[in-house]
Amino acid sequence: MEIQFRRGKYIRQKRTWLVSLALILAFSALLWRLYGVQMGSSVSFSREETDLIARAEEQQSRVVVVDSGRGSILDRHGESLTGTRDWRLFASPFSQAQVEAHHGKLGRLASLLGWTEGQLVHQLKSLTMPAALSQPDGRELVLKEKQAQMVRELEISGIDALESDDRWRNRGARQVIGRVERNPFLIQQRFPEEWEHGLYNSHSRIGVTGLESSFEPFLRADGSTLLSYTTDGRGRPLNGLSMKVEGTSEGASYRLLTTLDRRIQAVAERALDDAAVGEGAVLVQEIASGDLLAVASRPSEYNQEKEWNPWDNRALMETTPGSIFKTVVAVAALDTGKVKPTDKFHCNGHLGRYGLRDSNPDGHGTQTLEQAYANSCNVVFAQVAENLGGKTLEKYAHRLGLGSRVLWSGTVFKEKGFRQLPQEHQGVIFSDEATRGDAGAVAQTGIGQRDVRVTPLQAVNMVTTLFHDGQTLNPRVVKEIQRDDNETFFAFEPHTLAVDQSIKPETLRQLRKMMRTAVTDGTAQSLKPSDVKMAAKTGTAQLGPDYDHFNKWMIGFGPTDEPRYAISVVIRSVEDSKDDRAHRVFRQVMEQTVKGEKPS
């Protein structure tokens, strides 16, 4: 009995010892693994994988790009759309306690800037992260070098004067210029050789939309200046603490000379904002060259209300065109000789066999093709489209640049098929062969409904085509890639869309006259009182399964006595079919564009 007891006790002691040994070994292995993660793995991970230490540190610190080091993007006059390297005033968010602690110095700083202390304090307390301050009225704040020295002599914690291009400030055309972000995985996907040769690293930034993306190889920075700051556990900046500048900007070797006009771009964007447009676009095209002078899109990153992506450029996105597509029908009918401008038609308000109704329920009565175009008569244009047939309609749509991407594309050095803005949509005329051959579908297409989709870019370019003997231009948004010494490195020579046959000059002349009639006697009479004579075509497209939302369009040109500008406006998915904001935006942009011209 005693022997059995001793034997059991020995077995229990041995089991306890083995369990303890196992626990010690497991704990030692865990310690060794933690050591490996902290000291070894972080440097032995491949560059494709996430650095664990860096990720932990990023939760407590953030960076602001002070100077991007990227190549400049200029308007057609050489004015920068992405900022120039100057002295700017950077500050981190200030609490009330900090304001009180630095009261005297903040007063001296405000005096140095020519502000009131209240104006300065308001900006400091409004910040959510370190940023360059603006003038009290929102304009860009640029310091003189002497001012910058005086700011630094004040030694205010959380405020400093730094040399910066302030690239991310909104100077207009944000969707065209595009967005830059830190994205090592995208860099490796797009530029694997450059990654391997060290031209990029895990902290590099890359263009992901717009010109920043398509021209990344030329705009790429050799170095950038970053401002790092510390955050608390919730990601909020620790006010004024641990701000430090890292790195230097070497400056890129190339820059872009665009076709955009900074003044006209501002006119277009202001018109959209004045009309409180939530989603839409405005384009201004120079008729003589086909160059795009303004490309404005809403929503922007600053005024989005719904879950829309503000970086999706609505000027390049296809949508239902409504009655502006009647321009294609009119050109096809006149050019084939099937209809003359003076031929008469009768509209009683509906086309029973297809269930089509006109916006005027009582009909327009007897009218010519020119009058039907001015009145935007659905009944007449559905009949004309049906008479032309789907193949003819589609052929003329292509000749006018619809149903294909029209923005400049071609060979740039070794890259074939380079596109200045590859996000451009192609558009659609008919979705398939069966639809093209269906009379009812053709009639609906003739009034810009059914499957047809058009981009605002295609719409404005269609207007410009009316002035080029039937040749459809490929609009440019970038003229040249330049070296930093202003010499041309690559020029994007103008060219036209390849079409099977040009439209007759007389057809184009007749169509221009019909657009003027729409202003004097038709649906675009809201433009008639203007001092600038214009020609235009309106459009209302029904959307949704219940047809209870609408695209509101206006396209046209001016001044009519010496046409220089084509404009397209679309306001997308509005609830009121009588919404007239497209008229107001079109008029405002045309008037201010023409009246703001500098004397030659």
Side-chain angles (χ1 to χ4, degrees), residues 324-499:
I324 66 167
F325 192 79
K326 291 169 184 172
T327 304
V328 176
V329 180
V331 167
L334 295 170
D335 205 54
T336 57
K338 291 190 175 183
V339 179
K340 297 182 178 63
T342 55
D343 285 354
K344 294 184 177 181
F345 301 84
H346 185 75
C347 168
N348 60 6
H350 60 86
L351 194 60
R353 61 183 180 275
Y354 299 129
L356 289 175
R357 293 187 177 275
D358 197 82
S359 57
N360 184 346
D362 298 326
H364 294 100
T366 301
Q367 56 188 338
T368 64
L369 182 69
E370 182 174 354
Q371 291 170 327
Y373 184 85
N375 294 328
S376 200
C377 179
N378 287 341
V379 171
V380 169
F381 274 85
Q383 291 175 315
V384 173
E386 183 183 8
N387 185 34
L388 288 167
K391 288 185 178 180
T392 299
L393 206 58
E394 187 171 54
K395 179 172 65 176
Y396 275 90
H398 286 307
R399 288 178 183 175
L400 289 166
L402 308 187
S404 60
R405 295 198 281 182
V406 295
L407 200 60
W408 196 101
S409 64
T411 300
V412 177
F413 298 113
K414 294 181 180 180
E415 184 174 352
K416 296 181 179 179
F418 174 85
R419 293 186 178 277
Q420 294 191 345
L421 288 173
Q423 298 87 359
E424 179 191 2
H425 289 187
Q426 180 171 322
V428 178
I429 309 303
F430 293 101
S431 61
D432 52 44
E433 186 66 34
T435 305
R436 190 183 298 109
D438 181 88
V442 171
Q444 291 176 325
T445 300
I447 62 171
Q449 293 287 158
R450 190 71 183 211
D451 302 325
V452 63
R453 300 290 185 272
V454 172
T455 70
L457 170 61
Q458 291 169 337
V460 74
N461 199 53
M462 176 174 66
V463 175
T464 294
T465 300
L466 303 178
F467 295 88
H468 287 271
D469 296 328
Q471 289 187 319
T472 302
L473 303 183
N474 291 119
R476 299 179 299 179
V477 72
V478 176
K479 276 185 176 180
E480 296 179 356
I481 303 171
Q482 297 181 339
R483 296 187 181 92
D484 56 7
D485 59 3
N486 295 343
E487 291 297 316
T488 300
F489 182 62
F490 184 91
F492 295 90
E493 299 296 340
H495 55 64
T496 59
L497 190 71
V499 295

Side-chain angles (χ1 to χ4, degrees), residues 164-287:
S164 165
D165 58 4
D166 200 13
R167 191 179 186 91
W168 322 124
R169 175 179 292 274
N170 181 20
R171 298 178 179 87
R174 292 290 288 152
Q175 288 91 344
V176 177
I177 293 168
R179 184 167 59 90
V180 175
E181 69 180 23
R182 179 184 170 190
N183 193 327
F185 302 105
L186 180 61
I187 292 173
Q188 293 170 75
Q189 181 182 5
R190 287 190 60 189
F191 305 107
E193 292 184 11
E194 290 85 344
W195 174 269
E196 289 298 324
H197 288 90
L199 295 178
Y200 289 101
N201 59 50
S202 60
H203 294 281
S204 297
R205 275 137 178 96
I206 183 175
V208 294
T209 65
L211 299 178
E212 296 276 24
S213 174
S214 52
F215 287 87
E216 170 66 25
F218 304 99
L219 299 174
R220 177 175 58 229
D222 292 329
S224 57
T225 304
L226 306 177
L227 186 153
S228 66
Y229 60 97
T230 304
T231 61
D232 62 18
R234 297 182 181 180
R236 297 173 302 191
L238 294 175
N239 298 323
L241 302 177
S242 302
M243 272 187 22
K244 60 180 180 178
V245 174
E246 302 175 343
T248 57
S249 303
E250 301 296 333
S253 300
Y254 304 101
R255 61 188 190 180
L256 304 182
L257 181 68
T258 72
T259 64
L260 299 177
D261 186 299
R262 189 170 176 178
R263 179 188 69 83
I264 299 175
Q265 180 72 34
V267 165
E269 300 211 20
R270 185 167 54 249
L272 287 173
D273 291 339
D274 288 349
V277 174
E279 186 180 20
V282 177
L283 293 98
V284 181
Q285 187 175 18
E286 186 177 58
I287 289 175

